Every structure is written in C-alpha cells, then in structure tokens.
C-alpha cells in the first residue's frame, strides 16, 4: 500500500504540473485554463492511486482485480472533455491544442500517480516548452509566408462575405478569419463594432494600394491595417 505521505506528494505534484500548463492556456485566453488542467491532473493521479491501492485485499494483501482497467478509462474518458474545448466556425477550427494539453495532463497525472516521476516531469517540461516557445516560432514562420489584414468595422450582416468577395477578385486566399473584438451596442437598432483579422495568402504581384482603395468602398469599415500600412475610411 502507498503511504499517506507518498499519496500527498503525488497529488500535490500533479496539481502543480497541471497548474503550470493551465496558466499558459489561461494567459492565451483558451477554453480550458488553470483550474481545468489542475482538476484533470489531480483526478488522473487519484484514479491511478485507486488503481494501485483499491484492488488489494486488506487481510491477505493479494490483488483482487485488474487494477489497470480503472486507469485505462481515464485515457478514453478524456476524449469527451477534450471535444468540449474544440470549436468549429466555418472552415476555422480552434481548441485542438487545448484539447491535446488536457489529454497530456491526464497522462502526466497517471504517471505521477503511479510514481513514475521522471516520465511525468520530463513530459511536463516538454509540454511547457512546446506551448510557450514553439508558439512564437510558429507565428514567425506563418508571418513570413502569410500576410495579416486587420479591419475595424461595423458588425453588420454580410460584411465579412463582402470583404471575402473583394479579396477573391485579387486571387487572395483567406487562410483564417479571427474576430478578436466584438462590442455590442446597448441599442438593438444600432450595430456594434468589431475587429477582424484575416490571414491571407497573397500573390507576389499583388498591389496593396489598390487593396486599400477597394476596402474603403465596402460599407461599414472604419480602419484597415495591412503589411504595416494603415488607412482610415470615412463612414457616412
């Protein structure tokens, strides 16, 4: 049987590791943050401890069942929780990294709960390095390959479609659309404002000055920023 001291160490350590990964997700405003990752790690460690100690006869000291079954259900059960963090909007999918981090935290919790400290700690360091360092590296690569168009505009029906049609005329491929700010007016008759980021795949011969001229012709756009250049559009 695992001692009380060892049980406390494993549960606290799994909570700390899950918390570190959760903080990174919380800072990046992801669906699952600090508390969720801690709960996943601690509960996984607890399930492993139950698997180790819960199937031993107190009198004979012999194992009375297959202890691996309970811990194995954690791996499959995490699929339901991870699926709840994945959001699909049109062709854009968000939350896959958070779902993967939750699944990894479950694995780390199982490892720590089993006393496999080296594997759990080394995995946690790898996960933190991947989430914190490789994210900026990934963005630098994407920045070299794609261009970002930032638009501040009125949140009216059909606006994104009109912008997409205008970009399509110039053979520009939209790789991703992200609405980073959406303010709703208290008066329901008035439209709110929003900021949209378009990640674009642009041909080498593209003329950015022509893009600015046509953007301002789209009704409802206040401001556009593209490739370091900024233009203000007059609103009637």
């Amino acid at each position: 049987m695992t001692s009380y001291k060892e049980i406390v160490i494993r549960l606290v350590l799994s909570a700390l590791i899950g918390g570190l990964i959760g903080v990174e997700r919380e800072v990046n405003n992801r669906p699952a943050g600090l508390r969720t990752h801690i709960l996943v790690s601690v509960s996984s460690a607890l399930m492993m401890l139950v698997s180790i100690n819960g199937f031993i006869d107190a009198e004979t000291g012999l194992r009375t069942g297959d202890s691996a079954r309970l811990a194995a259900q954690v791996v499959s059960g995490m699929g339901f929780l991870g699926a709840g963090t994945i959001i699909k909007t049109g062709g854009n999918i968000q939350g896959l990294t958070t779902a993967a981090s939750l699944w990894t935290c479950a694995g780390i919790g199982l490892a720590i709960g089993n006393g496999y400290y080296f594997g759990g700690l080394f995995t946690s360091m790898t996960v933190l390095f991947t989430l914190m360092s490789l994210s900026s590296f990934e963005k630098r690569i994407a920045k070299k390959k794609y261009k970002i168009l930032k638009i501040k505009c009125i949140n009216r029906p059909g606006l994104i479609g009109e912008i997409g049609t205008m970009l399509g005329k110039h053979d520009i491929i939209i790789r991703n659309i992200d609405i980073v700010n959406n303010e709703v007016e208290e008066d329901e008759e008035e439209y709110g404002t929003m900021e949209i980021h378009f990640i674009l795949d642009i041909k080498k011969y593209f003329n950015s000055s022509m893009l600015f001229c046509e953007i301002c012709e789209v009704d409802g756009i206040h401001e556009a920023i593209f490739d370091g250049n900024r233009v203000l559009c007059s609103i009637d």
Side-chain angles (χ1 to χ4, degrees):
M1 294 288 289
T2 307
S3 66
Y4 291 154
K5 180 181 178 181
E6 187 68 17
I7 291 174
V8 172
I9 291 175
R10 295 181 186 184
L11 291 176
V12 171
L13 184 59
S14 63
L16 290 175
I17 293 174
L20 289 174
I21 298 174
V23 165
E24 192 280 335
R25 296 284 83 193
E26 190 87 41
V27 169
N28 288 279
N29 195 28
R30 297 307 176 186
L34 174 64
R35 293 179 297 176
T36 305
H37 282 77
I38 290 177
L39 291 174
V40 168
S41 297
V42 172
S43 61
S44 298
L46 177 62
M47 293 300 177
M48 179 56 76
L49 287 169
V50 173
S51 298
I52 295 172
N53 303 304
F55 297 93
I56 298 178
D57 188 273
E59 296 181 358
T60 62
L62 299 176
R63 193 169 297 277
T64 59
D66 185 3
S67 60
R69 289 186 178 182
L70 181 60
Q73 298 306 309
V74 175
V75 179
S76 59
M78 277 306 302
F80 294 97
L81 185 59
T85 67
I86 300 174
I87 302 173
K88 185 178 185 299
T89 306
N92 184 28
I93 299 177
Q94 295 179 329
L96 285 174
T97 303
T98 302
S101 68
L102 286 171
W103 190 74
T104 306
C105 274
I108 293 172
L110 291 174
I112 298 298
N114 194 39
Y116 186 45
Y117 296 119
F118 177 79
L121 291 172
F122 187 80
T123 301
S124 65
M125 288 188 293
T126 304
V127 170
L128 288 171
F129 174 78
T130 301
L131 293 175
M132 299 175 68
S133 300
L134 295 187
S135 176
S136 57
F137 176 71
E138 186 179 25
K139 289 179 181 177
R140 284 199 299 268
I141 294 177
K143 188 177 181 180
K144 292 180 180 179
K145 186 176 181 181
Y146 303 120
K147 298 294 184 180
I148 298 178
L149 172 64
K150 300 179 181 180
I151 293 179
K152 294 181 180 179
C153 55
I154 295 173
N155 185 2
R156 67 171 179 82
L159 177 62
I160 295 179
E162 292 180 19
I163 297 173
T165 301
M166 181 269 296
L167 294 174
K169 292 179 181 179
H170 296 278
D171 295 328
I172 299 176
I173 299 174
I174 301 175
R175 293 297 181 184
N176 187 37
I177 300 176
D178 187 18
I179 300 177
V180 298
N181 187 19
N182 189 3
E183 298 178 358
V184 180
E185 300 290 341
E186 293 182 1
D187 187 355
E188 295 181 356
E189 297 181 357
E190 296 292 336
Y191 295 120
T193 59
M194 62 180 177
E195 181 176 337
I196 314 172
H197 292 181
F198 294 86
I199 299 179
L200 308 175
D201 188 355
I202 296 177
K203 307 298 181 182
K204 293 182 179 180
Y205 54 81
F206 175 72
N207 187 353
S208 59
S209 60
M210 185 174 293
L211 173 67
F212 279 133
C213 292
E214 295 196 16
I215 283 179
C216 287
E217 292 179 359
V218 178
D219 182 34
I221 294 182
H222 295 282
E223 178 183 342
I225 301 174
F226 177 74
D227 201 18
N229 297 316
R230 177 170 173 263
V231 64
L232 296 174
C233 303
S234 59
I235 303 296
D236 297 333

